[in-house]
Structure formats: C-alpha cells, structure tokens
Amino acid sequence: MVYQRMVLVLLLALTTLLLTVCAGQDFRGQIQPNAELGHLLNLGPNTRVLLQAIPPETFVDSFEGNGESSVDAAAVNTSGLHKLAAFGQQRDRSTLVAVDGSFIFRDLEPGAYTLELVSRTHTFEQYRIDILDPALGKAPQIRIFTPGTSLVSILSSNLVFHPLIIHAVKRIEYYTEAAPLTIGSLIGMGGPMMILGLVGMGLVFLMPKLSATLDPEAQKELADSQKRIQKRIAAVQAGDVSSLLYNEDHLKKGQERERIANQARAERNVGRSD
C-alpha cells in the first residue's frame, strides 16, 4: 500500500514536471496613466493588444528559390507563402485590455513576437517580445521597437522589465481648433496683392501729410521729381523709350540742338527760294 502511494506521488510529480516543460510561458502587461492618459477610462472600449509572431530566418529561407527555374521558384514561393500564412494563424494572438489596464497572453510558444496596442484615442510604443525556452527559467525579453527599423538590430538595445508597464505616447486628435480671426490672418489669406493694396492706401493718406511738413525747397524738389516721373510715364505710353535712357538736362540740350539745326535748315531753304 505504501509502495503504491509512493509510485502515485512520483507519477504526479513527473506529470507536473512534463506539463511545466511542455507548457508555454505567460506574458503580462499593464497600461498606466500619465500626462497624455489622465485616466484609464479615457481609453474607451475595445482597446486591443496584438501579438504577431516573427518567422525565424530559417523558415523564411526555406521557401526562397535558390538557383531554380522561374516556374519552380514561383511554385516554391507560393507554397512558402501558404506556410507563412499558416504560421501566422497559429502563432498570432490578440486580447482585449481589462478595465484596470492589464492584459495577459498565456502559454506562448518560444519565439519572437511584435506587440502593438490598438486604441482609438491614444498611441503607444511598439515592442519586440522574445519568449525563451521555459526550461531556462528566464522572463520574456522585451525591447522597444520602432516601425521601419530592423527587428534584428534592436536586439542590442536595452531590455524592458517584465511585466511590461506601458504609457501612452500621444493622444489622437480628431478635431483641429480653428485659428482666431486676426489682422495677421486676414493679411495672410489675402497674400501679396492685399499687402500691396494696403501699402498703396497708406501712401495715399500719408504722402500729403509728409509733404506738408517739408520746407519750401524740399516741396519744390518733390514736385519736380513728380513731374519727371509723370514725363517718363507719358514717354512710355507714347512709345518713346529712348527718352528713358537719358536725364532731363541731356534731353534739353538735344532738343535745343535739334531746334537750332531745324532753324538753320529753314534759313537755307528760304535763301535758295530767293
């Protein structure tokens, strides 16, 4: 009788040991409030945690065609893609976040995974999770993963403690507050044409006041400059572009020489007629 009890105890111990060795490892995490997430109730319902398995390199290399014909390589790649899809269906896991912000994945098989939190209100960091052999008695290895970087290169980064403590990175803003209506915004909406119009209106009101404060000589110079500008505008409108290339004194001298030449030509013509 005593012998049977001892055998039964040994069988139970061996069974428990085998179940412990064969069973997977649990992974736990907890979302905690911070400045971006004031309270866990702000997460809203249906906040989900996705755990996607990373295929080992040997598994990926097994269905790549090496020196085979195009038909054989296509067949190998097609079968390999089916195997890869089946691998993801077997290993990928998902769960909902509890009211207290906790989540757990039980009996995970050894391998590498990526962990992502899907929320409609906040964004979170992504992580790479490495589940080791339970016989080693080591906790899961957790590293921060930035999308777009190599999953292999992050193995040299620092580890994060398990159970994983997660904080929100940023709150998702679905609405943008309209900017207040100011003079600067009106000018910005009008563009350069509105700025030129405002400058012109300012000159119309300011120039008479500025000219009134000048002394008589300065007012005379200002009037002369305005006359010259008007003459140049009239020359451009008349098509006399050459007059724009010379100053007023040069034009007066040229006009005087032309008048004298015309007068001398007229006198010669009168002498010939006599």
Side-chain angles (χ1 to χ4, degrees):
M1 190 69 178
V2 176
Y3 177 75
Q4 292 179 351
R5 289 182 179 179
M6 291 179 62
V7 172
L8 183 60
V9 170
L10 289 175
L11 288 175
L12 289 174
L14 289 174
T15 304
T16 304
L17 182 61
L18 289 174
L19 290 175
T20 303
V21 172
C22 296
Q25 194 171 5
D26 294 345
F27 180 83
R28 301 174 184 272
Q30 174 75 42
I31 301 175
Q32 292 187 355
N34 61 350
E36 295 293 335
L37 178 60
H39 197 279
L40 292 176
L41 294 177
N42 296 334
L43 276 177
N46 301 326
T47 300
R48 186 172 292 274
V49 185
L50 302 180
L51 194 68
Q52 297 178 330
I54 302 174
E57 295 182 2
T58 55
F59 181 85
V60 177
D61 295 337
S62 63
F63 64 87
E64 291 183 351
N66 296 322
E68 300 178 355
S69 63
S70 59
V71 178
D72 295 337
V76 171
N77 288 334
T78 303
S79 62
L81 290 175
H82 288 299
K83 292 180 181 179
L84 186 62
F87 175 82
Q89 292 177 357
Q90 294 174 0
R91 294 290 191 92
D92 293 350
R93 305 276 290 274
S94 67
T95 185
L96 293 174
V97 177
V99 178
D100 60 350
S102 63
F103 59 90
I104 183 172
F105 292 99
R106 297 189 181 277
D107 298 333
L108 292 177
E109 298 182 16
Y113 301 84
T114 59
L115 185 139
E116 179 183 3
L117 275 83
V118 180
S119 173
R120 292 179 294 180
T121 57
H122 294 78
T123 57
F124 297 87
E125 295 277 9
Q126 296 186 22
Y127 299 88
R128 170 177 173 145
I129 313 297
D130 289 283
I131 304 298
L132 304 179
D133 190 352
L136 299 176
K138 293 185 178 180
Q141 295 183 352
I142 308 170
R143 297 176 177 86
I144 296 177
F145 166 61
T146 302
T149 59
S150 173
L151 288 168
V152 179
S153 62
I154 64 172
L155 292 176
S156 59
S157 59
N158 296 329
L159 293 175
V160 182
F161 292 107
H162 179 265
L164 177 62
I165 303 299
I166 303 177
H167 296 95
V169 176
K170 184 180 179 182
R171 180 179 176 84
I172 301 175
E173 299 291 344
Y174 291 97
Y175 301 97
T176 303
E177 185 178 356
L181 189 62
T182 60
I183 297 177
S185 62
L186 290 175
I187 294 175
M189 288 188 295
M193 297 304 296
M194 180 173 286
I195 296 175
L196 291 176
L198 293 176
V199 172
M201 292 176 62
L203 291 176
V204 169
F205 289 103
L206 292 177
M207 286 301 292
K209 295 182 179 180
L210 291 175
S211 60
T213 58
L214 299 176
D215 55 357
E217 294 182 358
Q219 291 181 3
K220 184 178 180 180
E221 292 179 359
L222 181 61
D224 293 339
S225 64
Q226 290 178 352
K227 289 180 180 179
R228 287 195 296 269
I229 293 173
Q230 291 176 359
K231 288 181 180 179
R232 291 179 181 274
I233 293 174
V236 172
Q237 292 177 351
D240 187 10
V241 183
S242 61
S243 62
L244 300 176
L245 303 177
Y246 305 99
N247 55 23
E248 189 174 356
D249 295 336
H250 184 79
L251 291 175
K252 287 182 179 180
K253 291 179 180 179
Q255 292 174 358
E256 183 66 22
R257 287 195 298 269
E258 186 177 358
R259 186 183 64 80
I260 294 172
N262 291 334
Q263 186 177 0
R265 192 179 302 110
E267 290 177 355
R268 287 196 300 270
N269 292 333
V270 171
R272 290 176 183 177
S273 62
D274 293 341

